[in-house]
Amino acid sequence: MLEVARELIGKTLVHETPAGRTSGLIVEVEAYIGESDPACHAAPGRTKRNAPLYGPPGIAYVYLNYGMHYLVNAVTEPIDSPAAVLIRALEPFEGIELMRRRRARGTGKRAASFERNGLCRGPGNLTKSLAIDLAQNGLDLTGRELFIEDAPASMTEAFPIAWSTRIGINVGKEQVWRAFVPGNPCVSGKSSLNGNGRSAAGDHLTSPA
DNA sequence: CGTTCGATGCACT
DNA sequence: GTGCATCGAACGT
């Protein structure tokens, strides 16, 4: 499972829409594993909302939280083993101008005022830039609309990976189940290891316990 | 630098 | 009615 999270780092998440194609390199993820993980949506058992977690792996689990942000996960385990990787940040790759227009929508701001590195920094931001909402819930991530694929050869350098505790939760804080590319300016949250002054004491470069 | 707080909608008890 | 796997603006050091 944590291996899947690690493998997703450095792949691309792509969304094809009538408006165009947007994609980015996955630089930050978190694992949510099973009903025994209090922060996982499967913790209360099977419900209508979390049903995709109990389905086959390779499926997108999308939901709305805080009433205003859609979050996208990749289901990772076999049927009846609820677990998923939350995609938290991307380095924008294709469709950057389209991302800017989507981010500006509804705000009074100009699309041009959005910096590239911030377009997909944070799970709520990346779904807005890629136009991911409940319509994509349950899609096959190996399909043609919303999918994960290997990065182009020109980008397949080895990515350094750091692990930390998960962000934005109140339970299950002990697990070191957040993986990110240290130093990458598109990573959300704080990290002394990402080289831009956003730091957190718990970060470390070794593998999780 | 840091922390607090409002916006906002839906699933769940 | 309560509580979020958030974001960013508005404050206080």
Side-chain angles (χ1 to χ4, degrees):
Chain A
M1 172 66 206
L2 296 177
E3 204 167 307
V4 176
R6 181 174 59 232
E7 287 170 358
L8 285 177
I9 299 283
K11 293 199 185 309
T12 59
L13 177 67
V14 186
H15 193 197
E16 296 270 11
T17 71
R21 174 182 172 116
T22 43
S23 72
L25 215 57
I26 299 171
V27 294
E28 181 187 358
V29 300
E30 285 176 358
Y32 289 85
I33 310 174
E35 295 180 350
S36 60
D37 174 3
C40 180
H41 277 191
R46 189 189 299 251
T47 66
K48 184 178 176 184
R49 180 175 66 158
N50 66 26
L53 293 175
Y54 290 81
I59 297 298
Y61 169 48
V62 184
Y63 76 97
L64 177 68
N65 97 135
Y66 294 105
M68 59 194 85
H69 300 294
Y70 294 99
L71 273 58
V72 61
N73 301 249
V75 177
T76 59
E77 300 293 299
I79 289 175
D80 293 334
S81 295
V85 171
L86 169 68
I87 300 176
R88 288 193 56 92
L90 307 175
E91 179 169 339
F93 178 37
E94 299 164 294
I96 289 175
E97 291 312 311
L98 179 53
M99 292 183 188
R100 286 197 170 102
R101 292 198 296 275
R102 286 167 171 164
R103 285 294 302 279
R105 191 178 302 161
T107 75
K109 299 176 184 172
R110 304 189 334 273
S113 70
F114 287 85
E115 286 187 59
R116 188 195 87 117
N117 288 345
L119 287 171
C120 299
R121 183 190 291 139
N125 287 336
L126 80 89
T127 54
K128 184 161 188 186
S129 286
L130 268 62
I132 294 170
D133 60 23
L134 292 182
Q136 281 73 48
N137 190 27
L139 287 185
D140 182 350
L141 289 171
T142 63
R144 304 295 296 275
E145 182 186 341
L146 178 67
F147 53 95
I148 292 169
E149 66 178 11
D150 289 337
S154 61
M155 301 176 79
T156 52
E157 55 196 274
F159 291 94
I161 294 180
W163 294 84
S164 77
T165 53
R166 295 174 292 185
I167 291 178
I169 56 176
N170 297 303
V171 288
K173 289 177 174 170
E174 331 75 52
Q175 278 82 359
V176 182
W177 287 351
R178 168 176 175 256
F180 61 99
V181 179
N184 188 290
C186 303
V187 170
S188 75
K190 317 166 191 174
S191 173
S192 58
L193 299 174
N194 69 10
N196 60 16
R198 290 175 291 122
S199 71
D203 299 347
H204 58 89
L205 285 165
T206 54
S207 58

